[in-house]
Amino acid sequence: MVEFSEREKRQILDYLELLREEINEKLDKYTDFGERCPKYLAEPMRYSLLSTGKRIRPTLTLLACELCGTLRSHALPAACAIEMIHTYSLIHDDLPALDNDDLRRGQLTCHIKYDESSAILAGDALQAYAYEVLSKDVFPKDVAGRCVAILAEACGPCDLVGGQADDMAWKANGAPSLEFLESIHHRKTGAMILAGLRMGATIGGASRLQMEKLDEYGRNYGLAFQITDDLLDVTSDEETTGKHVRKDISQGKLTFPSFLGVEESRKQAYEKVRAAYDALNVFQSDSIVYKCMVGLTQQLLDRKK
Ligand code: GRG
């Protein structure tokens, strides 16, 4: 993999911060509804959406678009749409009927800050709004249609929601295997990461080879992301992660460390990061965009939150 110089590290961090600011600014604008949306709905939507998420998925959307040679501003609506869907899934996942959590992104979860019905409606509205944004603001319209299909598939019954359903019911499916564990997390976590990349690449006009390589990158990045997320639950603390830790163990969740042990999970994370990095080899390696993709990927091995 790559050892960046201090200067390159600074450039990568600055570039990623610029993308974060563009995403945050656009999310703010998109949810500035004025009188069109009741305040008691807009407020919980904005409370969760504009909080301090890492913006990994939308950042990957912008980078994939640029990596394929197109201005990232074209992919900004799609980047916002994926962050809206991601935030909806977090709001609903924190509800008492699912994970029953009171801390997320370093602040009270939506249903604790407001109430359950507000959190359900905020999640529902963010989900629908994501498709409005995609279908109205992505051009040309056939590309918008492809993005709608990519996102809908990734957060539907076979991916995000299906993965979540299997995650909740895994004990009923008999003795787990590594294949089953990976399949849950590919659907629950990886599919959204892949969708972000696919939308960016589609808007960016990716060639077939570029699309295949970004898919390979996304599959490995997604699993590495989940493995390192599971590891943080075992090894980190609430102050750093902004969410409760040791919840996976107390809730009897099927995780990589519980199935493979901490050391083997670290090894697996390294292998996935390596495979993700290798998949980028079709792209020009001296651009800042490529370096950001590599930096984001390698950073998974040193993840703090
Ligand atoms: C309720 C529809 C529905 C789906 C639930 C995505 C999901 C499935 C649950 C969210 C909780 C969870 C642990 C998901 C695994 C993926 C994951 C690690 C999400 C957190 O993503 P980060 O770390 O969060 O990118 P931020 O806050 O930085 O955006």
Side-chain angles (χ1 to χ4, degrees), residues 92-280:
H92 281 194
D93 190 61
D94 289 332
L95 287 167
L98 284 107
D99 246 12
N100 192 19
D101 225 320
D102 59 12
L103 188 65
R104 167 76 66 188
R105 293 177 165 174
Q107 62 179 24
L108 294 175
T109 48
C110 194
H111 67 279
I112 299 288
K113 172 79 178 172
Y114 298 93
D115 55 30
E116 271 187 59
S117 57
S118 305
I120 292 169
L121 293 180
D124 289 344
L126 281 170
Q127 177 169 212
Y129 193 43
Y131 293 105
E132 181 181 337
V133 163
L134 270 186
S135 51
K136 285 184 175 167
D137 289 356
V138 174
F139 297 97
K141 286 298 154 202
D142 65 314
V143 171
R146 273 151 59 202
C147 288
V148 166
I150 289 168
L151 191 57
E153 184 181 349
C155 68
C158 303
D159 282 336
L160 175 69
V161 183
Q164 172 72 3
D166 267 345
D167 194 25
M168 293 171 72
W170 70 269
K171 284 183 184 148
N173 287 317
S177 61
L178 180 58
E179 201 185 1
F180 183 61
L181 176 64
E182 287 195 348
S183 150
I184 289 181
H185 293 298
H186 172 65
R187 288 172 287 150
K188 191 178 141 179
T189 307
M192 290 291 288
I193 286 168
L194 212 46
L197 287 160
R198 280 181 180 163
M199 288 197 295
T202 302
I203 295 165
S207 67
R208 183 188 285 261
L209 178 65
Q210 287 174 327
M211 194 62 103
E212 277 169 15
K213 287 294 184 176
L214 282 171
D215 260 33
E216 192 181 322
Y217 169 84
R219 281 178 203 288
N220 284 292
Y221 183 99
L223 279 176
F225 185 86
Q226 185 61 50
I227 298 171
T228 52
D229 202 72
D230 287 354
L231 283 166
L232 284 181
D233 186 71
V234 181
T235 58
S236 192
D237 54 66
E238 284 170 17
E239 206 184 329
T240 317
T241 60
K243 57 187 181 185
H244 290 305
V245 292
R246 321 284 178 265
K247 278 207 75 177
D248 293 343
I249 304 168
S250 65
Q251 293 184 341
K253 289 249 177 87
L254 179 59
T255 67
F256 286 91
S258 72
F259 188 76
L260 295 174
V262 168
E263 275 322 304
E264 181 58 25
S265 300
R266 288 207 173 107
K267 205 170 138 226
Q268 290 279 329
Y270 179 85
E271 280 171 15
K272 308 288 179 210
V273 163
R274 172 88 226 184
Y277 166 77
D278 287 344
L280 293 175

